[in-house]
Amino acid sequence: MKQTFLPLFFLVFLLSGCRTTSKGDSSLKETAFLFSYFTNQEGGLRLAWSTDGLVWNEIRRADNRSFLVPAVGEDKLMRDPSICKGSDGIFRMVWTSSWTDRIIGYASSEDLVHWSEQKAIPVMMHEPDAHNCWAPELFYDDATGLFWIYWATTIPGRHSEVAESEQEKGLNHRIYAVTTADFETFSPTFLLFNPDFSAIDAAIAKSPVDNALVFVVKNENPNPPEKNIRAARLAHMPSPGQEMTAASCGMSALSGPIHGDYWAEGPSPLFVNDTLYVYYDRYREHRYGAARSTDNGRTWENVDSLVHFPHGTRHGTAFAVTKDFLDQLLELAAMPE
């Protein structure tokens, strides 16, 4: 199918569409929010919109088709789509392409409807024993102009052992990363987060009010099962290539679970002005929930009952755009192919 891109002047963005924004761009009258997600892992990218961060509405296309059908990876999946926009105004997306790949999927778009050719980023090909590359996320650091790509990988025997279950035998994940300015050249892969538990589904959010950074991650320990979301605050990003620690980035102690007594995964943080929401997939119950913080992740309030997501929503990314961009996206999405 031929890809057609709209002129750049048609796209006017106010906020960075990823886990970072700039001061002064936080008015809810001018801002809207998008959520990238999947429902069927072979079916491709889905999008929802919100104006308050609570009620999310599906963006339906003709024939209910997805915005991008996966074409790379051993299994050609599109799980965990993470979307981010840098200073060039282009949206970048990465996703889990397979249960066992050592690559992650990548594509870019100016309007979220028309996409570039999909590529495989070989982030763990140098590790022949690596089991996987799961739930990649993007963070754009406007101070350095670098995109951070980070994900969970198991490399047998590499890290401190955790008690296993039969179902998850041999899986002991840590968070790895690369940085890039252009998605053409990448830094060497490095270990970003190395706790004393199996860690997956990491994400970073930056406050548009005071530039505070909050880090969220899933404790994936299987025996006894944790399966919950934890949070920490960062004074700043570490230097590229450095692990996140108190010394490298002023990282606070990791919190306990930020939600109720149930299993959750796929945390997606979003600042709505000075309020931080972390959305998560209550995957055993086939529903979405959220926790809310008004002090940059120091304390949390459960707001599961306040959020509404489209039926079947699975792990994705929340990000801010202008209201004008949302209007244009809704118009484009309604056009026949």
Side-chain angles (χ1 to χ4, degrees), residues 121-190:
I121 303 178
V123 292
M124 295 302 284
M125 292 303 293
H126 63 290
E127 292 280 3
D129 296 328
H131 277 346
N132 50 6
C133 292
W134 285 357
E137 285 279 339
L138 287 169
F139 176 79
Y140 179 68
D141 184 8
D142 50 9
T144 62
L146 290 177
F147 293 88
W148 292 65
I149 311 172
Y150 43 97
W151 64 93
T153 288
T154 284
I155 304 175
R158 185 65 56 88
H159 304 295
S160 58
E161 293 299 322
V162 298
E164 298 179 326
S165 67
E166 191 59 35
Q167 183 177 358
E168 298 177 65
K169 193 171 184 177
L171 294 178
N172 184 15
H173 317 274
R174 295 299 185 276
I175 306 301
Y176 290 83
V178 297
T179 59
T180 181
D182 56 11
F183 287 83
E184 296 292 334
T185 59
F186 301 87
S187 73
T189 298
F190 59 95

Side-chain angles (χ1 to χ4, degrees), residues 186-236:
F186 301 87
S187 73
T189 298
F190 59 95
L191 182 63
L192 180 64
F193 183 57
N194 184 24
D196 60 358
F197 57 84
S198 179
I200 67 171
D201 296 356
I204 301 168
K206 183 177 182 179
S207 168
V209 176
D210 59 9
N211 291 328
L213 291 171
V214 178
F215 172 75
V216 292
V217 67
K218 181 185 180 184
N219 183 328
E220 181 69 342
N221 276 8
N223 187 21
E226 290 284 347
K227 314 298 184 183
N228 50 53
I229 310 303
R230 312 294 183 102
R233 299 178 308 281
L234 310 178
H236 51 81

Side-chain angles (χ1 to χ4, degrees), residues 3-249:
Q3 301 291 333
T4 304
F5 288 88
L6 296 179
L8 281 174
F9 66 79
F10 187 64
L11 305 172
V12 182
F13 307 119
L14 184 62
L15 293 177
S16 177
C18 59
R19 304 195 191 285
T20 178
T21 58
S22 300
K23 290 184 178 179
D25 291 341
S26 56
S27 170
L28 284 177
K29 293 181 180 179
E30 300 176 345
T31 304
F33 306 99
L34 295 176
F35 194 85
S36 61
Y37 64 99
F38 76 101
T39 55
N40 179 318
Q41 55 201 16
E42 295 87 13
L45 172 66
R46 301 284 175 174
L47 295 172
W49 65 272
S50 176
T51 56
D52 62 4
L54 295 172
V55 177
W56 295 87
N57 308 278
E58 181 182 3
I59 303 178
R60 281 192 169 269
R61 303 195 69 194
D63 302 323
N64 198 33
R65 66 188 185 275
S66 67
F67 284 85
L68 185 65
V69 176
V72 299
E74 181 178 336
D75 300 320
K76 292 183 172 55
L77 306 182
M78 187 169 282
R79 296 177 62 88
D80 324 311
S82 175
I83 295 178
C84 176
K85 181 166 71 70
S87 60
D88 60 2
I90 297 174
F91 290 96
R92 319 282 185 164
M93 183 171 72
V94 294
W95 65 89
T96 305
S97 60
S98 169
W99 292 106
T100 57
D101 270 349
R102 289 180 288 152
I103 61 99
I104 58 176
Y106 166 72
S108 63
S109 174
E110 295 176 356
D111 58 16
L112 299 179
V113 175
H114 306 91
W115 289 87
S116 69
E117 179 183 0
Q118 298 174 44
K119 296 181 180 179
I121 303 178
V123 292
M124 295 302 284
M125 292 303 293
H126 63 290
E127 292 280 3
D129 296 328
H131 277 346
N132 50 6
C133 292
W134 285 357
E137 285 279 339
L138 287 169
F139 176 79
Y140 179 68
D141 184 8
D142 50 9
T144 62
L146 290 177
F147 293 88
W148 292 65
I149 311 172
Y150 43 97
W151 64 93
T153 288
T154 284
I155 304 175
R158 185 65 56 88
H159 304 295
S160 58
E161 293 299 322
V162 298
E164 298 179 326
S165 67
E166 191 59 35
Q167 183 177 358
E168 298 177 65
K169 193 171 184 177
L171 294 178
N172 184 15
H173 317 274
R174 295 299 185 276
I175 306 301
Y176 290 83
V178 297
T179 59
T180 181
D182 56 11
F183 287 83
E184 296 292 334
T185 59
F186 301 87
S187 73
T189 298
F190 59 95
L191 182 63
L192 180 64
F193 183 57
N194 184 24
D196 60 358
F197 57 84
S198 179
I200 67 171
D201 296 356
I204 301 168
K206 183 177 182 179
S207 168
V209 176
D210 59 9
N211 291 328
L213 291 171
V214 178
F215 172 75
V216 292
V217 67
K218 181 185 180 184
N219 183 328
E220 181 69 342
N221 276 8
N223 187 21
E226 290 284 347
K227 314 298 184 183
N228 50 53
I229 310 303
R230 312 294 183 102
R233 299 178 308 281
L234 310 178
H236 51 81
M237 291 296 288
S239 297
Q242 283 190 316
E243 182 183 330
M244 289 197 313
T245 64
S248 70
C249 60

